[in-house]
Amino acid sequence: MRGLKGLVKKGLGLGDMAFNAGGGAINWFPGHMAAAARAIRHRLKLSDLVIEVRDARIPLSSANPDLQPHLSAKRRVVALNKKDLANPNIMHKWTHYFETCKQDCIPINAHSKSSVKKLLELVEFKLKEVISREPTLLVMVVGVPNVGKSALINSIHQIAQSRFPVQEKKKRATVGPLPGVTQDIAGFKIAHKPSIYVLDTPGVLVPSISDIETGLKLALAGSVKDSVVGEERIAQYLLAVLDTRGTPLHWKYLNNRRIDGIEYEAEENHEYSLKNLKPKRRNPPNRSDLVYVEDLVMEVQRALYSTLTEFNGNVEDESDLENLIDLQFSALQKALKIPHKASEARLMVSKKFLTLFRTGKLGPFILDDVPDIQPVS
């Protein structure tokens, strides 16, 4: 990993990189988030339990260090969202890690009602010890941007409506940190006797991150706008991660796959959206469209496999790794069929490549390494 660490340390060849609030190379802490952070700390005092949503691909990097001291004093459930995009072979190691740290943790898919119901069952179980003495309980949802808080809240809302169909779209819970001190806060009622309300809060990203790689992981997962960090820089980091892990070598056995019985018209000019890499036209989509996306993925995987296996350098060497990444950008440009004369070809390659990763087309990943668990003496 020395080559990767070296590239990260010097900002992937793009000059010094700093993630901070007061200027610097990259300012990724908008003013409204500072206000949101203050509001969250205030509401934490009112909450009986906190659901901290994290990205399952970055279980540690998607935590908010500034909030951890406040969260550790509360009943908390860590929800590792987007588990469908995370490597299942490693996910169980993460759940074991959190269990060892005596922290309740559950991998979820916020778009799956059955998955969210399991989360709510755990929440209600954790609240059992205070149910007998509190008439109204408050559950707060927190997390950095783009970890799926809104999707989770939407699923909770749908479940709440099915449980209490007569309740309005949004209910208000009257709660307070002290008897006689109350405050109205909007939320969804998920249980009765006692009443349990789940509230939503804006995500807050830390104003300063000393670890550049953590910042890059957050950017890769989409918790920071691409335009802030730069798509090319993020794509370079992703390529460096794949190369140092040898991931493209594992794709050799996948490139023989085909969907039996389906053929597609190669000469057809497909127009696809960068957001989902599926053709914009046809509703419902043609079967050939699905094969088109599959074929696009295989071309990308083949390009990265070929460049890595034919490379004579050492991916642990910083300069060699940089050279390899340059070769891979050229190979990806061809695989993604981006015109050679395109003035922004490298940017277009980066955008499409990142979309493939973020939508899970390149396979499930967990970018964070499971920390070593120190035995208790």
Side-chain angles (χ1 to χ4, degrees):
M1 289 289 186
R2 287 175 299 172
L4 172 62
K5 297 295 182 184
L7 279 185
V8 168
K9 189 174 181 180
K10 73 172 190 174
L12 293 165
L14 295 174
D16 293 334
M17 194 161 56
F19 298 91
N20 54 58
I26 295 178
N27 180 357
W28 68 347
F29 191 70
H32 74 274
M33 286 189 181
R38 289 191 294 271
I40 281 181
R41 291 189 182 93
H42 172 66
R43 290 191 177 190
L44 275 174
K45 298 176 183 178
L46 308 177
S47 303
D48 298 285
L49 183 142
V50 177
I51 299 174
E52 184 188 3
V53 186
R54 301 188 190 180
D55 191 316
R57 296 167 296 179
I58 44 175
L60 286 185
S61 296
S62 56
N64 185 315
D66 285 355
L67 277 179
Q68 293 310 306
H70 301 275
L71 295 175
S72 61
K74 308 291 294 186
R75 295 178 188 84
R76 172 175 55 165
V77 173
V78 174
L80 298 178
N81 189 31
K82 306 184 183 182
K83 70 173 185 177
D84 51 312
L85 299 178
N87 189 335
N89 297 323
I90 301 177
M91 181 53 66
H92 73 280
K93 296 180 181 179
W94 275 104
T95 54
H96 175 69
Y97 166 76
F98 282 108
E99 287 173 4
T100 305
C101 296
K102 301 189 184 305
Q103 171 58 61
D104 290 288
C105 168
I106 180 171
I108 68 166
N109 178 352
H111 295 285
S112 166
K113 285 186 181 179
S114 61
S115 181
V116 175
K117 283 181 180 178
K118 290 180 181 178
L119 169 62
L120 293 181
E121 288 173 3
L122 177 59
V123 167
E124 291 183 43
F125 175 78
K126 291 289 293 180
L127 285 173
K128 272 188 175 180
E129 57 192 72
V130 292
I131 279 178
S132 59
R133 61 177 185 270
E134 296 290 342
T136 301
L137 301 174
L138 199 63
V139 176
M140 188 175 181
V141 178
V142 299
V144 300
N146 205 35
V147 289
K149 298 183 304 302
S150 295
L152 175 59
I153 287 294
N154 288 339
S155 292
I156 291 175
H157 183 200
Q158 293 173 15
I159 293 170
Q161 282 188 314
S162 65
R163 292 180 177 179
F164 303 98
V166 297
Q167 73 172 328
E168 300 171 5
K169 184 177 182 181
K170 283 193 176 183
K171 283 285 188 179
R172 303 192 72 84
T174 301
V175 296
L178 298 170
V181 180
T182 61
Q183 181 173 343
D184 286 341
I185 302 177
F188 303 124
K189 187 176 182 179
I190 62 167
H192 187 56
K193 290 185 180 180
S195 296
I196 300 178
Y197 290 84
V198 176
L199 314 180
D200 191 14
T201 60
V204 177
L205 197 60
V206 291
S208 180
I209 293 180
S210 57
D211 182 353
I212 293 175
E213 188 168 7
T214 297
L216 285 167
K217 288 176 182 178
L218 285 164
L220 181 54
S223 289
V224 182
K225 288 184 178 180
D226 288 347
S227 58
V228 174
V229 181
E231 289 92 341
E232 186 176 336
R233 179 181 282 162
I234 304 170
Q236 281 179 301
Y237 173 69
L238 175 55
L239 285 170
V241 169
L242 296 177
D243 291 333
T244 52
R245 290 186 176 187
T247 302
L249 301 179
H250 301 296
W251 289 336
K252 174 183 179 181
Y253 306 101
L254 299 177
N255 278 331
N256 294 324
R257 71 191 188 282
R258 276 290 182 200
I259 300 178
D260 295 334
I262 300 180
E263 297 179 357
Y264 71 101
E265 301 172 9
E267 71 277 5
E268 185 174 352
N269 182 23
H270 289 266
E271 295 182 8
Y272 54 87
S273 165
L274 277 175
K275 290 186 177 180
N276 54 22
L277 286 170
K278 292 181 181 179
K280 297 177 181 177
R281 297 173 298 152
R282 300 194 187 95
N283 190 19
N286 189 290
R287 291 185 305 171
S288 67
D289 297 339
L290 302 178
V291 182
Y292 171 75
V293 176
E294 183 82 1
D295 188 66
L296 187 69
V297 172
M298 283 195 294
E299 288 298 323
V300 167
Q301 292 179 332
R302 186 177 293 117
L304 296 183
Y305 170 77
S306 299
T307 50
L308 183 56
T309 54
E310 296 169 6
F311 187 63
N312 295 322
N314 179 9
V315 295
E316 295 298 328
D317 180 84
E318 183 182 320
S319 297
D320 284 354
L321 183 56
E322 271 191 287
N323 293 333
L324 173 59
I325 289 173
D326 284 337
L327 291 173
Q328 289 177 325
F329 263 102
S330 298
L332 286 173
Q333 182 177 342
K334 182 178 180 180
L336 293 168
K337 300 176 176 62
I338 294 174
H340 289 285
K341 294 182 180 180
S343 59
E344 297 183 348
R346 204 169 169 103
L347 177 61
M348 293 172 65
V349 167
S350 299
K351 286 184 176 182
K352 292 184 180 182
F353 185 52
L354 291 175
T355 300
L356 283 174
F357 171 79
R358 289 166 176 166
T359 53
K361 298 292 190 293
L362 297 179
F365 290 90
I366 293 183
L367 300 172
D368 282 340
D369 295 322
V370 182
D372 292 328
I373 302 173
Q374 300 297 330
V376 179
S377 56

